[in-house]
């Protein structure tokens, strides 16, 4: 990658840390504000409900106005969100902070990924897309990992992690400011909100890439919203650093996947990812029945790694099949599909209160297996090959005729 790609990558790491800091703090919020499991999952899903529409709009705006005009405001908003959490003393403030986080990540993530890829050399764009996917997961994982350590060993555990993040956001903003714009501003082009799927690839995207991304996020959401409570309430874990470790593994393990599977074809990566993630969901079910903390940690690492395989393949496909001016829309749509998978976490939270965690895990496993089978049977047929986009060059005679 180029120097500017690495600057964009640094901005992504610092930014994404701020959205997942909250994960190991859920048990503290529950005891501090006296809220239920259902409210915890609702707090988790509020973020998602804000992300999805914001991200879809942001991808189109970035293709029209430029990447940095969306990325920098998003970084300001995520800093504001961390400041809200850093000084919150009430439940409504938590929801305000989550809404701000959702707005910020919606403005940044798909656009930020495109910004990393835009700065890469033409022959390195696929590799840059993989590294961007790695940064996406690694940043999210560092958030709960560091927050768990601070919450356990530093003073003021509810606020200190967010205060630290607000400070390091200065580094992220400076990194983005140092990387030049990659998209020419088109003020005269009417704004049109569209999904940006290339002609002829709609069936493949919506039956192969979209459900795979949904499955990835479905499992993430289940683990990040319910497992922290399961660890503290059922397994009697009192060390929040352990809770943070589970969050780190769920999110960051996938960040290292491209280092191990870099030679795997992007289409095959998605297929292997959904198959292994579905199998991993069964491991979660077993872990929930074993009452063993170590088993939960292993399950988190397995799911994190295999979900990284899905993201690796899906991000690469979505980044290379379209021209640069369309990339923001398609990558944003990819993340919209992914984040939509966290919506069912609200139902899982309330379901766990009614039928218990073990049966809830069984339901989740059935859903994961069904989604994986759909991708492997239906989606695989609709996306048989991945063809990178190449500009159509007119020969001199065609160019002269067009000019005339």
């Amino acid at each position: 990658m180029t120097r500017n790609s690495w600057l964009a990558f640094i901005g992504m790491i610092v930014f994404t840390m701020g959205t997942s800091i909250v994960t190991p703090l859920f048990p503290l919020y529950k005891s501090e504000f006296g809220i239920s499991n259902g409210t915890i999952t609702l707090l988790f899903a509020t973020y998602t409900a804000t992300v999805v529409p914001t991200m879809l709009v942001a991808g189109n705006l970035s293709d029209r106005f430029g990447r940095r005009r969306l990325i920098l405001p998003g970084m300001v908003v995520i800093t504001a969100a961390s400041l809200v959490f850093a000084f919150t003393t009430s439940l409504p403030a938590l929801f305000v902070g989550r809404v701000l986080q959702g707005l910020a990540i919606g403005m940044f993530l798909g656009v930020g990924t495109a910004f990393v890829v835009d700065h890469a050399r033409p022959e390195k764009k696929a590799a840059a897309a993989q590294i961007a996917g790695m940064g996406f997961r690694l940043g999210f994982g560092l958030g709960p990992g560091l927050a768990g350590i601070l919450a356990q060993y530093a003073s003021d555990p509810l606020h200190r992690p967010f205060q630290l993040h607000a400070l390091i956001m200065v580094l992220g903003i400076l990194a983005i400011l140092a990387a030049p714009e990659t998209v020419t501003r088109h003020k005269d082009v009417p704004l049109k909100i569209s999904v940006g799927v290339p002609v002829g690839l709609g069936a493949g995207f919506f039956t192969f890439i979209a459900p795979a991304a949904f499955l990835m996020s479905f499992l993430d959401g289940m683990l990040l919203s319910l497992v922290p409570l399961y660890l503290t309430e059922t397994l009697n874990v009192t060390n929040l650093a352990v809770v943070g470790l589970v969050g780190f593994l769920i999110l960051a393990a996938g960040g290292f996947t491209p280092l191990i599977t870099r030679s795997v074809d992007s289409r095959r990566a998605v297929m292997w990812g959904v198959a292994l993630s579905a199998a991993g969901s069964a491991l979660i079910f077993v872990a929930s029945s074993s009452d063993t903390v170590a088993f939960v940690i292993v399950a988190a690492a397995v799911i994190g790694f295999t979900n990284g395989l899905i993201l690796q393949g899906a991000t690469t496909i979505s980044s290379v099949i379209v021209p640069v001016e369309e990339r923001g829309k398609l990558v944003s749509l990819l993340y919209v599909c992914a984040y939509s998978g966290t919506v069912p976490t609200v139902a899982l939270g309330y379901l766990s209160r009614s039928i218990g965690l073990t049966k809830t895990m069984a339901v989740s496993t059935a859903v994961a297996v069904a989604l994986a089978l759909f991708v492997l049977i239906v989606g695989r047929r609709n996306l048989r090959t991945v063809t990178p986009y190449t500009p159509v060059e007119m020969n001199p005679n065609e160019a002269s005729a067009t000019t005339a």
Side-chain angles (χ1 to χ4, degrees), residues 140-171:
F140 278 142
L142 286 173
L146 295 176
I149 293 172
L150 288 173
Q152 180 64 34
Y153 301 110
S155 60
D156 197 7
L158 285 176
H159 304 126
R160 193 71 69 218
F162 292 102
Q163 292 168 357
L164 177 62
H165 180 256
L167 287 175
I168 64 174
M169 274 303 302
V170 175
L171 173 64

Side-chain angles (χ1 to χ4, degrees), residues 145 149 159 195 228 237 240 245 250 254 274 286 347 372 376 378 384 392 401:
I149 293 172
H159 304 126
V195 294
V237 173
L240 292 177
L245 173 62
I250 294 166
V274 296
V286 174
L376 295 172
V378 178
R384 295 183 181 274
V392 178

Side-chain angles (χ1 to χ4, degrees), residues 182-207:
T182 57
V183 175
T184 302
R185 189 174 184 181
H186 301 288
K187 295 187 292 184
D188 56 334
V189 178
L191 177 62
K192 181 181 178 181
I193 304 302
S194 62
V195 294
V197 180
V199 175
L201 288 179
F205 185 89
F206 287 112
T207 61

Side-chain angles (χ1 to χ4, degrees), residues 327-341:
R327 189 173 293 138
K329 288 187 289 189
L330 188 59
V331 175
S332 290
L333 179 62
L334 166 65
Y335 287 122
V336 166
C337 295
Y339 271 101
S340 297

Side-chain angles (χ1 to χ4, degrees), residues 54-384:
T54 306
M55 189 178 293
L56 188 57
V57 173
N60 289 268
L61 289 175
S62 80
D63 289 334
R64 182 172 186 255
F65 296 114
R67 307 291 192 226
R68 295 204 316 174
R69 288 184 175 88
L70 269 294
I71 291 174
L72 289 172
M75 299 189 91
V76 171
V77 174
I78 195 67
T79 304
S82 288
L83 290 174
V84 169
F85 278 104
F87 299 100
T88 185
T89 57
S90 66
L91 179 60
L94 296 182
F95 279 97
V96 171
R98 290 298 274 173
V99 168
L100 289 175
Q101 287 180 338
L103 287 172
I105 199 69
M107 295 169 68
F108 179 90
L109 194 53
V111 180
T113 301
F115 198 44
V116 174
V117 177
D118 289 349
H119 277 297
R121 297 181 181 90
E123 70 276 10
K124 297 293 185 179
K125 289 194 182 297
Q130 290 186 350
I131 292 173
M134 179 178 70
F136 164 64
R137 302 289 294 187
L138 184 59
F140 278 142
L142 286 173
L146 295 176
I149 293 172
L150 288 173
Q152 180 64 34
Y153 301 110
S155 60
D156 197 7
L158 285 176
H159 304 126
R160 193 71 69 218
F162 292 102
Q163 292 168 357
L164 177 62
H165 180 256
L167 287 175
I168 64 174
M169 274 303 302
V170 175
L171 173 64
I173 292 173
L174 290 175
I176 296 299
L177 286 172
E181 182 57 74
T182 57
V183 175
T184 302
R185 189 174 184 181
H186 301 288
K187 295 187 292 184
D188 56 334
V189 178
L191 177 62
K192 181 181 178 181
I193 304 302
S194 62
V195 294
V197 180
V199 175
L201 288 179
F205 185 89
F206 287 112
T207 61
F208 187 79
I209 298 175
F214 185 95
L215 170 61
M216 173 191 74
S217 194
F218 172 75
L219 293 175
D220 279 353
M222 176 185 65
L223 285 162
L224 293 173
S225 61
L226 292 181
V227 166
L229 301 176
Y230 174 73
L231 287 171
T232 57
E233 296 179 4
T234 303
L235 299 185
N236 299 315
V237 173
T238 58
N239 191 323
L240 292 177
V242 174
V243 180
L245 173 62
V246 171
F248 172 79
L249 291 173
I250 294 166
L251 294 168
F256 298 101
T257 302
L259 301 178
I260 302 171
T261 61
R262 66 177 64 184
S263 61
V264 178
D265 171 76
S266 57
R267 180 173 173 271
R268 189 164 296 173
V270 173
M271 291 189 292
W272 274 106
V274 296
L276 294 174
S277 287
S281 67
L283 184 60
I284 299 171
F285 171 66
V286 174
S288 69
S289 307
S290 67
D291 291 339
T292 304
V293 175
F295 211 172
V296 175
I297 293 174
V298 171
V302 169
I303 291 293
F305 181 85
T306 56
N307 277 355
L309 197 58
I310 296 173
L311 186 65
Q312 171 189 336
T315 303
T316 301
I317 294 171
S318 299
S319 296
V320 302
I321 62 176
V322 291
V324 61
E325 63 270 13
E326 297 288 326
R327 189 173 293 138
K329 288 187 289 189
L330 188 59
V331 175
S332 290
L333 179 62
L334 166 65
Y335 287 122
V336 166
C337 295
Y339 271 101
S340 297
T342 64
V343 173
T345 57
V346 177
L348 291 176
Y350 287 103
L351 186 64
S352 68
R353 295 174 59 190
S354 302
I355 66 174
L357 183 61
T358 300
K359 292 182 179 178
T360 301
M361 296 298 106
V363 172
S364 301
T365 298
V367 172
V369 170
L371 285 169
L373 289 174
F374 180 82
V375 171
L376 295 172
I377 296 173
V378 178
R380 181 171 60 89
R381 294 175 180 173
N382 288 328
L383 189 70
R384 295 183 181 274

